[in-house]
Amino acid sequence: MEGHWLQSLRMKLVSTDASRLQQLLQSKVEDMNEIKKNQDQRFNEDEINIKELTSKLDAMKEALHTETQILEHKNNELSKENIYIEELQEENDKLLQEIKQLEGQRNSLKSSKPNSRDQQLLELGRKKLKLYKELTKIQWDYAATKHSIKGYVSNGCDYIHHFCYENQEINYKIIDSLWNEIYLCTSQGESERENLQPNFAN
């Protein structure tokens, strides 16, 4: 009888331990499943984040590559500009040197005095020009000499006559005409002047 009771108690204890062990095992399995579920969820989230970060990194690399190319292009342009500036600086230095030399020559010319022979030739030329002017009575328009032969003749009293030969080279006809103007200024040409109508342009 006592043996039967012990066996029955043993069976209850074994049954109770097995049930508790099964519950404990099931609880552990559920915990493991929950952990695995959480890990899978975190893994998926991490994978999404990694893809997003990878995409951003690729975009940043592309932007960096573009910026690098732009910077290299600007550096090349800057190098060309620097070379051009150096060339301009060299030209400027040369011009400044030439200006200094010219200023030195100008100052030297200002400080130098013409020699006596040059002064004599200049004075002789002035006297000749004055004499020719008094003899011919011709007043030349030197400002118009590039395009025409222009001026006037006058005896300083009662006769003045303008002449202008546009865009013509000196020839015998012009020379004869000028000599005629000179003649009309003289007292011998007075009678011929009286027969001419007043005329102020040739």
Side-chain angles (χ1 to χ4, degrees):
M1 186 72 175
E2 183 178 356
H4 179 72
W5 179 81
L6 289 174
Q7 186 177 2
S8 177
L9 180 61
R10 187 181 297 114
M11 290 295 294
K12 287 181 180 180
L13 290 174
V14 170
S15 177
T16 301
D17 290 340
S19 177
R20 290 183 61 188
L21 183 61
Q22 185 177 3
Q23 290 178 357
L24 182 61
L25 182 61
Q26 186 176 358
S27 176
K28 292 296 182 182
V29 170
E30 290 177 355
D31 291 340
M32 291 294 294
N33 289 334
E34 185 67 23
I35 292 172
K36 185 176 182 302
K37 180 181 178 182
N38 292 334
Q39 287 180 343
D40 290 341
Q41 184 177 357
R42 289 180 60 184
F43 176 78
N44 291 332
E45 291 175 354
D46 290 342
E47 188 175 9
I48 293 172
N49 291 332
I50 289 172
K51 288 181 179 179
E52 291 178 354
L53 291 174
T54 302
S55 178
K56 290 181 180 180
L57 182 61
D58 291 338
M60 291 175 65
K61 287 182 178 179
E62 183 65 26
L64 180 61
H65 179 68
T66 302
E67 291 294 331
T68 302
Q69 288 182 331
I70 293 173
L71 183 60
E72 289 177 353
H73 177 71
K74 289 183 177 180
N75 284 335
N76 292 333
E77 293 296 324
L78 182 60
S79 298
K80 293 179 181 179
E81 292 293 332
N82 288 334
I83 293 173
Y84 181 64
I85 290 173
E86 290 177 358
E87 292 176 352
L88 289 178
Q89 186 63 41
E90 291 179 359
E91 291 294 329
N92 185 58
D93 293 340
K94 290 180 181 178
L95 289 175
L96 289 176
Q97 187 65 27
E98 291 178 1
I99 290 172
K100 288 181 180 179
Q101 292 177 355
L102 291 174
E103 287 179 348
Q105 293 176 2
R106 182 190 64 184
N107 294 333
S108 177
L109 290 174
K110 283 183 177 180
S111 60
S112 63
K113 296 181 179 179
N115 56 43
S116 58
R117 183 182 177 186
D118 291 338
Q119 288 180 337
Q120 290 175 359
L121 290 174
L122 182 60
E123 187 63 27
L124 180 60
R126 288 174 180 171
K127 289 180 179 180
K128 285 183 178 180
L129 182 61
K130 183 179 180 181
L131 180 61
Y132 292 152
K133 184 177 178 181
E134 291 176 353
L135 290 175
T136 62
K137 309 298 183 182
I138 295 178
Q139 298 287 338
W140 298 102
D141 185 353
Y142 294 104
T145 54
K146 291 184 178 180
H147 308 289
S148 61
I149 301 172
K150 189 176 181 181
Y152 66 89
V153 291
S154 174
N155 60 6
C157 296
D158 58 354
Y159 180 75
I160 182 171
H161 188 260
H162 291 267
F163 61 86
C164 180
Y165 304 98
E166 295 288 347
N167 300 321
Q168 294 187 26
E169 295 182 357
I170 296 176
N171 53 44
Y172 289 109
K173 184 177 179 180
I174 294 176
I175 293 173
D176 290 340
S177 178
L178 289 175
W179 276 115
N180 185 59
E181 294 289 350
I182 295 170
Y183 173 73
L184 292 175
C185 281
T186 63
S187 57
Q188 289 85 355
E190 184 176 358
S191 59
E192 293 188 21
R193 292 202 308 267
E194 293 176 354
N195 297 327
L196 294 175
Q197 294 181 354
N199 185 11
F200 296 97
N202 195 15

